[in-house]
């Protein structure tokens, strides 16, 4: 012990440590001051902080071995320590500055730049997820439901841009206000909490200016748990935000902010839970949404918003599960959407659901009319712009489609499905490389979404990027529960067809019908060069009304079928036609 203390004195290691710490502190202070003005990302700043830590350790090593006079040679131990620290610095900077999801921004996701820039012509506000704890298992969903209703209430202010629902990635609180504002092009953030007990509701809300991270307004509510108080809180928050931002509200806007959709607490709770389940877009969550929303309409038969939300749940079920017949789902959607509009003609969301019904029945003119009615009544509803964009691009109007998918993206820049369909619309516009970059960006947002992974794999194959396509197919196999080895062999068959032009058989033992959905199945047969099987799948989907396939026949992956009379007949029957018909 005495030798160690004596060595510390002779090498002045403590003095070196203090001097380095003072210098590092000065660097951090400067970094904090210049970070925002110079546009330094949080990722870069995190990497610099990590390097300062490694540098401190390197300083201690150098002081220990070289602080004493006359000891200037580099020994093997010192060399190994310095090499190890250098490797740690390289790897650590890469991890800190690139892969940490808490610091990964929209404008630098794995190097994938956004196709559309986020530009705002009005003040923009992002409503962050409300923290919520309580005694029941559904309390987190209840808080998320209040979060969505605050968004809906604020979208009624036309002089304010409200960034839509998909901001849950910020729920962990790891990203600062400036970074969130930069990622979403948001001027203000609304943050807070929602907690309930058996008889009380407690909500806090605070409006923060993103650039300065300074609060603009805040309030706490502690009220009896009633539907009147729940809605009163939302109305007051919307009013107070408008006042804090000095926004002019017309009498009609004020009246819209004060609307009360129901007077029955249990119905409102079921509606909130149903909306949350619908936003998750899985077969199980859509069933859950239908159950909650049906109960809401049963508890209050005059609850127009619940009928409208139920229509949007019904219309998506055949897309996400083969267990739902398309004609039954469309009939249910139509009935509840029309009921919603009979109760409240101003509901744009109900027109959105009806627009999809008309499109699935190939009634293109009425579909476009419904979507445009939805946008006229609810101009800030991202889903209406999204679904209209897809329809326009399928109909051979890609530039119009891109304009609406851009609007959907501006309203909901973190939505997985909207980001995916930016790529889909780019693909239908013939911009394959841009579509590929957008699919990569979507997977950076949501790496575990199997649907995008499969679409990306096929697009990579179409673009001739075989190795990347193989990796994406194998990733899809893991996510979907398929056999990665068999899928890798299937990709070999795809490549063999592309090189030889000769039809390929699928790997033995791989049952394509059970591995892929009908949509994935017909794309697989096309990738194998099996035109007959692809036509069979397409014809069967058309006969059974499985619109998810037949609506997509304007895509370039169908090019090999465009001279087939059976394909031509289907295309013309559903009114999509062929390029030569337009």
């Amino acid at each position: 012990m005495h030798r160690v203390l004596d060595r510390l004195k002779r090498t002045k290691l403590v003095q070196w440590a203090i001097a380095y710490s003072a210098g590092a502190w000065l660097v951090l202070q400067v970094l904090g001051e210049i970070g925002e003005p110079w546009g330094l990302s949080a990722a870069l700043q995190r990497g610099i902080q990590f390097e300062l830590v490694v540098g401190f350790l390197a300083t201690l090593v150098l002081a220990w071995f070289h602080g004493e006079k006359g000891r200037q040679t580099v020994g093997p131990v010192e060399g190994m320590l310095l090499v190890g620290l250098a490797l740690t610095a390289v790897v650590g900077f890469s991890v800190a500055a690139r892969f940490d999801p808490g610091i990964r921004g929209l404008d630098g996701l794995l190097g994938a730049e956004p196709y559309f820039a986020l530009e705002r012509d009005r003040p923009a506000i992002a409503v962050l997820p409300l923290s919520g704890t309580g005694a029941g298992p559904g309390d987190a969903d209840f808080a998320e439901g209040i979060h969505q209703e605050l968004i809906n209430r604020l979208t009624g202010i036309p002089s304010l841009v409200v960034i839509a629902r998909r901001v849950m990635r910020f729920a962990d609180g790891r990203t600062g206000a400036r970074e969130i504002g930069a990622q979403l092009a948001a001027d203000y953030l609304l943050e807070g909490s929602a907690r309930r007990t058996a008889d009380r509701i407690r909500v806090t809300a605070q409006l923060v200016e993103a650039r300065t991270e300074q609060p603009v307004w805040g309030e706490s509510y502690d009220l009896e748990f009633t539907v009147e108080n729940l809605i009163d809180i939302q109305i007051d928050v919307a009013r107070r935000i408008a006042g804090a931002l000095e926004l002019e509200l017309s009498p009609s806007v004020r009246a819209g902010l004060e609307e009360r959709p129901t007077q029955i607490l249990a119905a409102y709770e079921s509606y909130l839970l149903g909306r949350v389940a619908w936003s998750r877009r899985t077969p199980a969550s859509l069933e859950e949404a239908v159950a909650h929303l049906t109960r809401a309409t049963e508890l209050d038969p005059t609850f127009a918003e619940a009928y409208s939300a139920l229509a949007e749940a019904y219309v998506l079920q055949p897309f996400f599960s083969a267990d739902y017949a398309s004609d039954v789902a469309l009939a249910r959607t139509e009935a509840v959407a029309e009921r919603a509009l009979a109760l409240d003609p101003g509901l744009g969301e109900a027109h959105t659901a009806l627009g999809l019904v008309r499109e699935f029945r190939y009634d293109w003119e009425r579909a476009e009319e419904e979507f445009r009615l939805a946008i006229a009544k609810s101009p800030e509803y991202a889903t209406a712009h999204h679904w209209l964009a897809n329809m326009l691009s399928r109909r051979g109007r890609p530039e119009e489609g891109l304009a609406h998918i851009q609007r959907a993206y501006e309203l909901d820049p973190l939505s997985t499905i909207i980001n995916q369909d930016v790529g889909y619309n780019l693909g239908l516009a013939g911009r394959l490389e841009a579509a590929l970059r957008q699919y990569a960006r979507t997977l950076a947002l949501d790496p575990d979404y199997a649907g995008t992974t499969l679409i990306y794999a096929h697009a990579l194959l179409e673009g001739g990027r075989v190795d990347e396509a193989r990796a994406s197919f194998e990733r899809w196999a893991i996510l979907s529960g398929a056999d990665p080895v068999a899928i890798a062999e299937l990709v070999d068959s795809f490549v063999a067809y592309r090189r030889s032009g000769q039809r390929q058989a699928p790997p033995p033992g791989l049952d394509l019908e059970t591995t892929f959905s009908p949509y994935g199945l017909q794309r697989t047969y096309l990738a194998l060069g099996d035109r007959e099987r692809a036509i069979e799948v397409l014809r069967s989907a058309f006969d059974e009304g499985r619109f998810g396939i037949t609506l997509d026949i304007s895509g370039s992956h169908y090019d090999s079928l465009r001279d087939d009379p059976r394909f031509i007949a289907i295309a013309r029957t559903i009114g999509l036609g062929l390029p030569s018909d337009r």
Side-chain angles (χ1 to χ4, degrees):
M1 186 65 182
H2 178 74
R3 289 184 177 181
V4 172
L5 293 175
D6 183 60
R7 182 73 177 268
L8 287 174
K9 291 178 182 178
R10 285 187 285 109
T11 59
K12 299 183 180 180
L13 187 142
V14 174
Q15 291 93 323
W16 276 106
I18 293 172
Y20 182 93
S21 298
W25 177 85
L26 180 60
V27 170
L28 291 175
Q29 295 305 306
V30 173
L31 188 64
E33 290 298 320
I34 70 172
E36 183 183 354
W38 286 16
L40 301 181
S41 68
L44 177 60
Q45 294 182 54
R46 185 76 62 89
I48 293 172
Q49 292 164 6
F50 184 86
E51 295 302 279
L52 289 174
V53 173
V54 176
F56 178 74
L57 298 176
T59 298
L60 296 182
V61 171
L62 290 170
W64 180 263
F65 285 96
H66 293 280
E68 188 177 356
K69 290 182 179 181
R71 300 178 63 89
Q72 303 301 319
T73 59
V74 178
V77 175
E78 180 190 4
M80 291 177 62
L81 287 173
L82 292 175
V83 169
L85 286 171
L87 291 174
T88 301
V90 172
V91 175
F93 184 85
S94 177
V95 171
R98 191 174 181 186
F99 294 108
D100 185 342
I103 59 174
R104 188 172 57 194
L106 275 180
D107 293 337
L109 286 169
L110 301 184
E113 293 296 324
Y115 186 79
F116 297 120
L118 291 174
E119 298 178 355
R120 312 292 189 201
D121 58 357
R122 293 160 286 161
I125 182 172
V127 183
L128 300 187
L130 302 179
S131 62
T133 58
D139 287 317
D141 284 351
F142 175 79
E144 187 177 342
I146 297 296
H147 166 250
Q148 294 190 10
E149 285 298 282
L150 281 171
I151 291 172
N152 291 340
R153 193 74 56 170
L154 289 167
T155 54
I157 303 176
S159 53
L160 186 66
V161 174
V162 182
I163 299 165
R165 309 174 195 284
R166 310 318 198 277
V167 292
M168 299 309 292
R169 66 189 281 114
F170 301 122
D172 59 9
R174 294 175 61 191
T175 311
R178 289 182 188 177
E179 179 73 4
I180 296 172
Q183 290 188 25
L184 300 178
D187 302 296
Y188 301 93
L189 309 179
L190 181 64
E191 56 189 20
S193 64
R195 295 175 173 83
R196 64 175 179 177
T197 61
D199 58 355
R200 306 293 294 178
I201 174 72
R202 295 178 176 88
V203 175
T204 65
Q206 178 174 251
L207 185 67
V208 176
E209 185 177 21
R211 184 181 59 85
T212 63
E213 299 187 337
Q214 295 300 310
V216 177
W217 164 82
E219 188 61 81
S220 297
Y221 306 87
D222 187 348
L223 303 170
E224 184 183 357
F225 187 25
T226 67
V227 68
E228 291 84 1
N229 286 338
L230 273 175
I231 297 172
D232 280 343
I233 290 170
Q234 298 167 30
I235 293 171
D236 191 63
V237 169
R239 283 176 179 163
R240 301 285 289 276
I241 287 175
L245 300 183
E246 300 181 347
L247 302 175
E248 293 290 335
L249 302 181
S250 68
S252 61
V253 170
R254 288 185 180 277
L257 289 180
E258 295 173 5
E259 287 182 353
R260 297 176 180 275
T262 182
Q263 297 296 321
I264 301 174
L265 178 60
Y268 194 60
E269 283 191 272
S270 292
Y271 167 75
L272 294 179
L273 295 175
R275 265 304 191 189
V276 170
W278 177 83
S279 69
R280 292 177 181 149
R281 305 284 181 94
T282 68
S285 72
L286 287 173
E287 285 190 26
E288 183 184 349
V290 166
H292 283 305
L293 294 167
T294 299
R295 183 168 184 268
T297 61
E298 291 170 348
L299 291 168
D300 184 355
T302 67
F303 194 170
E305 284 86 346
Y307 283 106
S308 180
L310 182 57
E312 290 187 296
Y314 276 143
V315 80
L316 287 181
Q317 281 189 310
F319 259 127
F320 288 87
S321 175
D323 296 335
Y324 295 94
S326 302
D327 54 347
V328 174
L330 297 188
R332 288 173 174 171
T333 301
E334 198 166 29
V336 294
E338 289 177 349
R339 172 63 175 159
L341 289 171
L343 292 166
D344 184 352
L347 285 174
E349 290 84 351
H351 284 292
T352 304
L354 284 175
L356 211 54
V357 170
R358 308 298 184 230
E359 183 179 2
F360 293 162
R361 288 178 174 159
Y362 314 129
D363 188 349
W364 305 105
E365 286 72 23
R366 290 185 68 194
E368 184 172 345
E369 179 183 335
E370 292 288 355
F371 287 136
R372 294 196 184 278
L373 274 172
I375 291 169
K377 294 178 178 181
S378 301
E380 305 296 303
Y381 189 45
T383 300
H385 291 279
H386 175 197
W387 291 356
L388 175 59
N390 289 350
M391 192 208 75
L392 290 170
S393 292
R394 290 166 181 150
R395 290 280 285 162
R397 296 156 63 183
E399 295 309 316
E400 293 177 74
L402 286 171
H404 280 282
I405 200 65
Q406 178 177 3
R407 183 64 180 137
Y409 171 75
E410 289 170 349
L411 291 167
D412 204 348
L414 293 179
S415 165
T416 298
I417 194 66
I418 287 176
N419 271 273
Q420 173 189 289
D421 281 358
V422 171
Y424 173 74
N425 280 267
L426 288 167
L428 290 179
R431 304 177 192 180
L432 178 59
E433 287 304 315
L436 287 171
R437 289 193 294 272
Q438 183 62 35
Y439 289 139
R441 180 179 175 78
T442 304
L443 288 172
L445 280 171
D446 191 350
D448 295 330
Y449 189 56
T452 304
T453 307
L454 183 59
I455 292 172
Y456 184 43
H458 278 292
L460 286 166
L461 191 67
E462 185 179 343
R465 292 160 59 174
V466 174
D467 291 339
E468 294 170 84
R470 186 188 310 279
S472 192
F473 274 114
E474 291 174 357
R475 173 66 178 161
W476 171 81
I478 293 170
L479 293 172
S480 64
D483 181 356
V485 175
I487 295 299
E489 294 175 359
L490 181 64
V491 177
D492 290 334
S493 300
F494 292 161
V495 175
Y497 167 65
R498 289 176 61 85
R499 289 175 177 169
S500 68
Q502 303 298 314
R503 187 177 71 181
Q504 301 293 310
L510 181 63
D511 186 349
L512 297 183
E513 281 73 13
T514 59
T515 301
F516 294 99
S517 68
Y519 177 78
L521 182 62
Q522 54 86 26
R523 292 207 67 163
T524 298
Y525 282 132
L526 288 171
L528 291 169
D530 194 336
R531 289 171 35 130
E532 290 300 314
R533 292 284 182 87
I535 283 286
E536 285 177 15
V537 173
L538 184 61
R539 183 76 222 185
S540 176
F542 175 73
D543 291 341
E544 296 171 9
R546 293 197 174 278
F547 36 75
I549 299 177
T550 52
L551 288 179
D552 212 33
I553 64 175
S554 57
S556 59
H557 51 281
Y558 279 103
D559 286 349
S560 63
L561 299 180
R562 299 208 185 280
D563 61 348
D564 191 299
R566 296 164 295 180
F567 178 85
I568 294 171
I570 292 173
R572 288 179 174 162
T573 299
I574 67 177
L576 282 176
L578 300 168
S580 59
D581 298 329
R582 297 171 186 155

